[in-house]
Amino acid sequence: MKVITKLAIGGVTAIATGLGALIVYAGGWDNFKLRYFSLTQVLSDQSREIGDLRKQDIDIEGTARIALDELLNGGPPKDGIPSIDAPIFDTASTTPFEDDELVIGMVVNGEAKAYPYGVMNWHEIVNDTIGGINVSVTYCPLCDTILAFDRGDSTFGVSGKLYQSCLVMYDRQDDTLYAQPWGLGIVGPAVNASVEQIPTVKTTLGAWLNQYPDSKILSTDTGHQRDYFRYPYGTYYTNEQLVFPVRNLSALEQHPKEIVTYAWEADGETPRNAFSGYSAVFDHDELAASGEQTVEWGDRTIRARWDNTFNTVIVEDEDGTILPSSTAFAFVYPAFFGN
């Protein structure tokens, strides 16, 4: 019996030692989790993952916008990353975040709000009301993409799935899955439907408050126990590692995590596994140097300009109206909008 006990203890010790070595090799626990997330694919049952949709009378395989084998399990299950559905807000004088905190800034009907990355990294979706409009504010930490839109009477949640390494949201009203970088239904009753986008800006809290001192700031009082002052993805934001496979990666000439801005507008076409409509990508370094760039957009021209106030790219229509756009890691644009 003592021999068995000793063998068991030895086995546990060996496993613990090996695991510790792997964690050190990966560059810490957060990097380790990211590196081995992809192993969850072995345990993933896609028929279970889209079970809520299969309960409906839908030809999922026949109508899906994407190939279902490219709809990957991201690790956490449906709602395993919890959206914030009853957000609480601080003011400039009560927020615990410093001026250099990255935020998603929005102004709707004169009401300004800021959503710190420190919170968005852990929750990805906030279902809110701003300026009298019900909105979902969404952020994908694996892509650095932002999408805010009119959610109507529904709320959106994190599906636990990824497409091209990016967030797949789901509409709680009918379970339709949406590819966040497209803002487009890809599986379910509302397949091919585009959400009604609302412009946002990625900037620092200090820069935002300089322009909107009365802005509300999303609170860390979320009802969940998270360390909102710790980045949960290790060195992912700056390293070259992609956790999940993406297409057209060979088309990149820059670092895959370099920050760019893209704008897009879908049309009525529905090609399989592809976007149809207008899109353009803007390099931040180039625009910071040149000041602006114009792009033909159907029968009109749009302009991207470098904004020194927020230290980012702003995309505008010919009359100066700000258009929805998103920052992104450089790999996102060829993965979602490349040929």
Side-chain angles (χ1 to χ4, degrees), residues 216-280:
K216 297 176 182 177
I217 304 144
L218 183 63
S219 171
T220 57
D221 183 7
T222 64
H224 300 276
Q225 295 298 316
R226 303 288 190 276
D227 184 354
Y228 295 116
F229 303 95
R230 181 180 73 83
Y231 177 64
Y233 293 94
T235 60
Y236 180 83
Y237 199 85
T238 55
N239 67 28
E240 295 191 7
Q241 175 192 8
L242 297 185
V243 184
F244 295 89
V246 299
R247 60 193 173 196
N248 298 330
L249 194 58
S250 61
L252 277 182
E253 296 181 357
Q254 71 256 66
H255 191 293
K257 306 290 180 61
E258 183 176 326
I259 304 299
V260 300
T261 286
Y262 71 93
W264 75 108
E265 182 181 313
D267 59 20
E269 301 299 317
T270 59
R272 181 86 161 174
N273 254 30
F275 178 80
S276 181
Y278 302 113
S279 71

Side-chain angles (χ1 to χ4, degrees), residues 9 12 34 39 44 47 62 72 97 99 138 142-143 155-156 163 173 189 202 211 339:
I9 293 173
V12 170
L34 279 176
L39 295 181
S44 175
S47 65
L72 302 182
F97 290 104
D99 283 352
T138 72
L142 295 184
C143 293
T155 60
F156 280 69
Y163 176 62
Q173 202 163 60
K202 172 187 175 182
Q211 295 299 306
N339 296 325

Side-chain angles (χ1 to χ4, degrees), residues 18-246:
L19 181 61
L22 283 174
I23 291 172
V24 171
Y25 175 75
W29 175 243
D30 290 326
N31 282 348
F32 174 81
K33 288 188 296 182
L34 279 176
R35 177 169 293 186
Y36 295 103
F37 264 173
S38 58
L39 295 181
T40 63
Q41 290 302 313
V42 177
L43 305 176
S44 175
D45 177 358
Q46 287 295 352
S47 65
R48 175 182 62 82
E49 290 296 326
I50 55 176
D52 291 330
L53 284 169
R54 292 192 185 280
K55 295 174 186 176
Q56 305 179 45
D57 186 19
I58 302 170
D59 178 10
I60 295 176
E61 285 77 6
T63 60
R65 179 67 175 259
I66 64 169
L68 292 182
D69 61 359
E70 295 187 21
L71 184 65
L72 302 182
N73 180 359
K78 184 178 184 179
D79 291 319
I81 296 174
S83 62
I84 299 175
D85 301 325
I88 296 171
F89 289 86
D90 291 320
T91 65
S93 61
T94 62
T95 181
F97 290 104
E98 300 292 338
D99 283 352
D100 61 354
E101 174 73 16
L102 289 174
V103 299
I104 300 167
M106 290 177 61
V107 180
V108 178
N109 294 331
E111 183 176 13
K113 288 188 175 182
Y115 303 83
Y117 272 38
V119 180
M120 299 303 293
N121 279 326
W122 292 94
H123 295 282
E124 301 188 9
I125 298 178
V126 179
N127 292 297
D128 195 10
T129 300
I130 176 171
I133 304 297
N134 291 336
V135 302
S136 289
V137 183
T138 72
Y139 174 68
C140 178
L142 295 184
C143 293
D144 201 48
T145 45
I146 298 166
L147 176 70
F149 55 92
D150 186 336
R151 61 181 169 86
D153 295 327
S154 186
T155 60
F156 280 69
V158 180
S159 72
K161 305 167 186 65
L162 297 171
Y163 176 62
Q164 301 302 320
S165 195
C166 289
L167 168 65
V168 174
M169 317 172 293
Y170 80 97
D171 185 339
R172 292 194 174 111
Q173 202 163 60
D174 62 8
D175 277 312
T176 296
L177 301 179
Y178 286 79
Q180 187 243 18
W182 283 342
L184 185 71
I186 54 174
V187 183
V191 66
N192 298 317
S194 291
V195 299
E196 185 179 342
Q197 302 174 49
I198 299 172
T200 62
V201 64
K202 172 187 175 182
T203 188
T204 62
L205 180 59
W208 182 254
L209 289 175
N210 281 338
Q211 295 299 306
Y212 302 101
D214 296 326
S215 176
K216 297 176 182 177
I217 304 144
L218 183 63
S219 171
T220 57
D221 183 7
T222 64
H224 300 276
Q225 295 298 316
R226 303 288 190 276
D227 184 354
Y228 295 116
F229 303 95
R230 181 180 73 83
Y231 177 64
Y233 293 94
T235 60
Y236 180 83
Y237 199 85
T238 55
N239 67 28
E240 295 191 7
Q241 175 192 8
L242 297 185
V243 184
F244 295 89
V246 299

